[in-house]
Amino acid sequence: MTAIRVSQLSKSYKLYSKPYHRLLDFLWPGKGTYSTVIQALKNIDLEVEEGQTLAVVGDNGAGKTTFLKLLSGSVIPTSGVLKIKGTVAGILDLGVGFHPGFNAWENLRMSCSIHNVEERKIPEKIGQIIEFAELSPEILNRPISTYSAGMLMRLAFAASINVDADILVIDEILAVGDQYFQRKCIEKIKQIVRSRKTVVIASHSLHLVKNLCEKAVWFEAGMIKAFGPAGPVIDSYIEKINSRERTMLSASAETPVAEKPKLTGFVEGTGEARIQKVTIRDRHGNETSRFRTGDPMIVEVEFEAFKPVTSPIFGVAIHRKDGIYCCGPNTMYDGYTTGVFTGRHVFAIRYEQVPLLAGDYFFSVAIYDREHVYPFDWHNQLYQFSVTTDCRGDGLVHIPHAWTIDEKKIG
Amino acid sequence: MIIDRFRYYFRKKDLLLVFIRKDLKSRYAGSYLGIFWSVLNPLLMLLTFTFVFSVILKIEFHAQQGILNYALYVFCGMLPWLAIQESISRSTSSLIENASLVKQAHFPASILPTHLAIAGVINEFFGLLVLIIAVAVSSYHLSPHLLLLPLVILLQIIFTLGLCWFLAALNVFFRDTVPFLNVGMMIWMFVTPIFYPSSTYPPKLEFLLVFNPLAHLVDIYRELILNNHWPQTASLAGLALMSVAVCGAGYFLFSRSQPRFNDLI
């Protein structure tokens, strides 16, 4: 059964230069042009089956949120068909649907009533919501205008998953909330997905939604760039982001060191030797930035020494996108003795098996003096690559392992 | 249709009650006397009127004009006026002030002006209580005419609802509604015979009375509470007719423009 059917759906917003133009336009539509039209979504076609999970990805302003708002019914389409089977609950803007002056109880009472929860089931529902949100009774009695974003998020999320809507619409689930609650939300969403409910999630946490969703739609400038199985769609979106980042970085490499903008990383060093080019290759020697857990990986660094440098130390480090330092071997630690270098040279490091789990990572590359005191050149967290995985599990790395479970009692 | 709207409210009366209760509570939130202010407020107003009109100004009206006590006379006219004025002025900005609710899909936005209209009337009950006790105490005997009051108040609610819906929707498109309304309310108050008997109106301007629902309302209040008379049928019919018309117009504008609210708020 089709849960969501959208065809030729468009949404535009009108901007008026004078407030009364809005009234005129409303009273005599089509008479004169009073407004500038902003096209947020243009001719969208897609279908979501009942029980499917749809990831919505794309850059900011591409139309993700407008699409979700259309699904939830909080904005109406300008043209096109939007057919939705069943009721929709969603977390879109934080705090939307809550009255700032009401306390949590009153707001939940209202949410339940709006979502047509049966009158006699409301106390039970509110109990479930409160239990999930894990807010203290003292907080629940305060008007929600006094809540922090995180507290509001807890309440909003708990409410929207508990009102028993047929379709759940979630915009950027991980934007707020502490890590504990984020994890709890993700677990809950996984559970909802397993229960064959229709779920639509817009997120910039691409690896997360890729694992979570069956299908994905990629919006670009108000139109669908790709729609289909989540894996390929999100991979091509990730590739697009990476290539754009590479262009940005290579553009910044032209500028003098002192003026280099500090993007994700930075460049620093005394300059006796300079890193010219860093290439990440796969097992076949092809340049790539996408790996799977367990793949071999080669990082090749071209550098130029402007005067003879003796026994420099070469290092390559890996950071996860959120700043976690994964590893950082260098030639000194590994007991290599390097020679004297002038002019252009290449060094490379080969990882036989990348143990990293899915996520985005950065390479840092450095050339240090022989005492490991100051860098000649240091590109800190400048080269991005991503890892996808077949291994299930949380954490940073996959360590090959085996289990033994003894059925005999001890003692 | 408008009947469905009322049926919806009946089905969702619990939701409506949450809003009304919250509104009544929030009026005196944090004050020591709390809900007692609802009685204390009109009581102090009546005492002030009595002091000013009977002690300082010593205003005397002729008995044939139906005014036995000017303070009570003005107070009786003020009560419905204050209720309507409060509901209207708060409703007008209610959609914009509660954008976070209006923007949510399925939220019945009309509940915002609606609960304010009803809360205004509920708050008026405390004043009516003070008035009726004062009338009884000052030896006017209470009459069976008061039994008609609930019907009149029902018409008042219908009238207020219509105005509240109309202005709340209008203000979304036309933010100048609020300042316009402030001036309009002042003019309306003085055009309505609240501080003076309607019999003092110059005949040329009598249309201002005939087409002013509030003038009928105030007259009927006074007939029932102060004068122990049945109101004129024409007055009652006029009020009923205009209330229903205003309610219909308010409903029409609100439901027509509701789909646009989200883009505009």
Side-chain angles (χ1 to χ4, degrees):
Chain A
M1 287 288 279
T2 310
I4 300 168
R5 197 167 72 79
V6 165
S7 70
Q8 290 297 300
L9 185 73
S10 296
K11 176 68 191 175
S12 54
Y13 292 96
K14 290 178 178 173
L15 292 184
Y16 297 89
S17 52
K18 296 252 164 46
Y20 66 86
H21 285 167
R22 170 174 295 159
L23 188 73
L24 289 175
D25 200 26
F26 172 64
L27 293 174
W28 294 281
K31 213 179 175 205
T33 45
Y34 299 111
S35 54
T36 346
V37 175
I38 306 282
Q39 190 85 31
L41 279 181
K42 213 153 105 192
N43 303 336
I44 302 300
D45 289 293
L46 61 83
E47 266 183 33
V48 181
E49 297 295 312
E50 225 169 280
Q52 264 185 345
T53 325
L54 176 73
V56 182
V57 299
D59 299 343
N60 292 330
K64 297 192 298 291
T65 301
T66 305
F67 179 64
L68 296 197
K69 281 183 175 169
L70 283 165
L71 289 185
S72 76
S74 68
V75 299
I76 52 165
T78 311
S79 64
V81 181
L82 171 67
K83 284 222 172 92
I84 287 174
K85 195 170 161 286
T87 55
V88 182
I91 321 163
L92 296 170
D93 300 330
L94 205 56
V96 160
F98 285 148
H99 189 299
F102 287 11
N103 63 30
W105 304 100
E106 289 156 338
N107 269 306
L108 294 177
R109 181 101 205 29
M110 180 171 76
S111 289
C112 287
S113 188
I114 290 168
H115 284 100
N116 292 315
V117 175
E118 265 179 75
E119 206 59 41
R120 59 191 173 83
K121 281 190 184 162
I122 286 181
E124 185 197 329
K125 278 282 166 231
I126 291 182
Q128 289 171 3
I129 296 169
I130 298 289
E131 196 191 322
F132 189 88
E134 293 183 48
L135 296 171
S136 74
E138 186 266 327
I139 291 172
L140 294 172
N141 288 326
R142 281 179 6 208
I144 63 153
S145 56
T146 62
Y147 285 25
S148 69
M151 278 149 55
L152 209 53
M153 147 79 196
R154 282 179 172 226
L155 202 63
F157 186 85
S160 59
I161 56 166
N162 275 303
V163 291
D164 288 339
D166 302 312
I167 300 171
L168 188 62
V169 173
I170 305 166
D171 194 3
E172 204 46 80
I173 23 174
L174 297 175
V176 277
D178 51 55
Q179 284 200 339
Y180 161 75
F181 197 72
Q182 279 182 9
R183 203 164 305 153
K184 188 171 172 181
C185 291
I186 292 168
E187 281 313 311
K188 185 73 191 180
I189 291 170
K190 280 183 185 164
Q191 196 185 320
I192 292 170
V193 168
R194 278 197 295 274
S195 73
R196 306 304 294 165
K197 216 177 229 192
T198 315
V199 182
V200 180
I201 304 173
S203 181
H204 292 287
S205 307
L206 298 171
H207 290 285
L208 176 76
V209 287
K210 189 175 149 189
N211 292 333
L212 222 50
C213 301
E214 294 162 76
K215 287 197 146 187
V217 57
W218 167 12
F219 282 111
E220 199 171 79
M223 300 208 273
I224 292 182
K225 175 89 173 175
F227 172 59
V233 171
I234 293 178
D235 281 345
S236 51
Y237 177 57
I238 292 173
E239 180 47 37
K240 161 91 191 295
I241 297 176
N242 289 345
S243 74
R244 196 168 41 192
E245 254 169 40
R246 279 196 298 274
T247 346
M248 191 167 70
L249 288 176
S250 61
S252 69
E254 314 273 307
T255 54
V257 175
E259 288 171 26
K260 260 184 197 170
K262 291 195 175 181
L263 298 165
T264 329
F266 56 88
V267 174
E268 162 176 309
T270 51
E272 282 95 324
R274 284 253 171 263
I275 294 161
Q276 305 290 5
K277 191 170 175 224
V278 175
T279 319
I280 309 171
R281 298 185 193 279
D282 65 12
R283 73 181 88 198
H284 309 297
N286 298 324
E287 198 176 332
T288 183
S289 62
R290 281 160 52 203
F291 294 89
R292 303 185 73 80
T293 306
D295 281 354
M297 185 162 68
I298 299 156
V299 180
E300 215 173 75
V301 182
E302 275 180 51
F303 69 96
E304 185 170 0
F306 300 103
K307 51 184 168 184
V309 290
T310 312
S311 305
I313 298 166
F314 303 121
V316 173
I318 297 175
H319 281 82
R320 201 164 69 181
K321 199 175 187 177
D322 55 5
I324 290 179
Y325 188 11
C326 305
C327 67
N330 66 35
T331 50
M332 179 187 74
Y333 293 148
D334 292 342
Y336 284 81
T337 328
T338 56
V340 182
F341 297 90
T342 39
R344 294 174 73 88
H345 295 267
V346 174
F347 72 83
I349 179 170
R350 181 184 169 92
Y351 302 86
E352 284 309 328
Q353 284 192 337
V354 180
L356 299 168
L357 289 174
D360 292 325
Y361 298 85
F362 288 99
F363 275 119
S364 305
V365 178
I367 305 171
Y368 270 80
D369 72 315
R370 60 189 298 171
E371 318 301 340
H372 202 227
V373 174
Y374 59 86
F376 298 136
D377 201 1
W378 177 25
H379 289 187
N380 184 37
Q381 297 181 47
L382 274 190
Y383 306 97
Q384 193 178 14
F385 68 101
S386 64
V387 178
T388 54
T389 190
D390 297 326
C391 312
R392 294 191 52 190
D394 296 326
L396 182 62
V397 293
H398 172 76
I399 303 173
H401 54 269
W403 298 91
T404 50
I405 294 138
D406 202 337
E407 289 183 8
K408 270 186 293 181
K409 272 187 193 167
I410 303 172
Chain B
M1 273 306 290
I2 194 162
I3 301 296
D4 298 326
R5 166 80 57 87
F6 286 116
R7 206 174 284 153
Y8 179 84
Y9 287 142
F10 187 73
R11 208 153 39 81
K12 298 275 176 186
K13 53 188 177 302
D14 286 60
L15 179 62
L16 194 57
L17 274 176
V18 169
F19 272 88
I20 294 173
R21 202 179 306 133
K22 190 74 196 174
D23 181 70
L24 292 174
K25 256 198 216 162
S26 67
R27 281 166 201 242
Y28 305 111
S31 67
Y32 285 110
L33 296 176
I35 197 80
F36 289 104
W37 274 113
S38 295
V39 179
L40 211 55
N41 231 357
L43 188 65
L44 290 175
M45 187 163 77
L46 180 58
L47 289 176
T48 313
F49 284 0
T50 308
F51 179 70
V52 173
F53 298 136
S54 307
V55 179
I56 299 181
L57 292 174
K58 298 192 186 67
I59 290 176
E60 299 265 330
F61 273 95
H62 300 296
Q64 63 264 36
Q65 280 176 312
I67 304 170
L68 295 170
N69 177 326
Y70 186 62
L72 279 180
Y73 183 87
V74 172
F75 188 59
C76 185
M78 281 297 267
L79 286 179
W81 162 252
L82 286 177
I84 289 174
Q85 184 214 35
E86 184 207 270
S87 296
I88 288 176
S89 49
R90 291 180 62 205
S91 292
T92 305
S93 48
S94 63
L95 294 179
I96 286 163
E97 280 168 7
N98 292 289
S100 67
L101 290 178
V102 177
K103 281 185 176 190
Q104 196 203 19
H106 318 303
F107 180 78
S110 66
I111 211 166
L112 295 167
T114 303
H115 91 275
L116 290 170
I118 296 173
V121 173
I122 292 177
N123 198 45
E124 186 196 340
F125 286 156
F126 298 102
L128 277 175
L129 195 72
V130 171
L131 174 66
I132 289 170
I133 290 172
V135 169
V137 167
S138 39
S139 84
Y140 301 90
H141 66 283
L142 288 180
S143 68
H145 299 98
L146 284 178
L147 292 176
L148 196 60
L149 204 56
L151 175 74
V152 177
I153 289 173
L154 184 70
L155 290 178
Q156 181 188 335
I157 292 177
I158 293 173
F159 174 66
T160 315
L161 272 178
L163 267 183
C164 288
W165 289 341
F166 190 91
L167 291 166
L170 189 66
N171 193 41
V172 173
F173 295 93
F174 194 56
R175 303 282 164 106
D176 302 39
T177 307
V178 174
F180 260 115
L181 193 69
N182 290 339
V183 181
M185 292 302 264
M186 190 189 65
I187 297 171
W188 196 14
M189 180 176 80
F190 284 107
V191 167
T192 305
I194 291 174
F195 297 102
Y196 50 87
S198 49
S199 54
T200 53
Y201 243 76
K204 261 192 200 165
L205 293 176
E206 249 172 19
F207 68 94
L208 282 178
L209 288 180
V210 177
F211 294 106
N212 180 355
L214 196 58
H216 293 294
L217 186 68
V218 168
D219 263 359
I220 295 170
Y221 261 76
R222 283 176 180 150
E223 293 288 73
L224 294 178
I225 299 171
L226 300 179
N227 301 343
N228 304 325
H229 281 160
W230 295 112
Q232 289 177 338
T233 324
S235 210
L236 202 56
L239 176 65
L241 212 66
M242 284 188 275
S243 297
V244 171
V246 167
C247 191
Y251 174 79
F252 179 76
L253 182 74
F254 198 97
S255 50
R256 272 292 299 277
S257 51
Q258 187 164 16
R260 310 273 307 267
F261 287 167
N262 211 321
D263 292 353
L264 300 177
I265 285 178

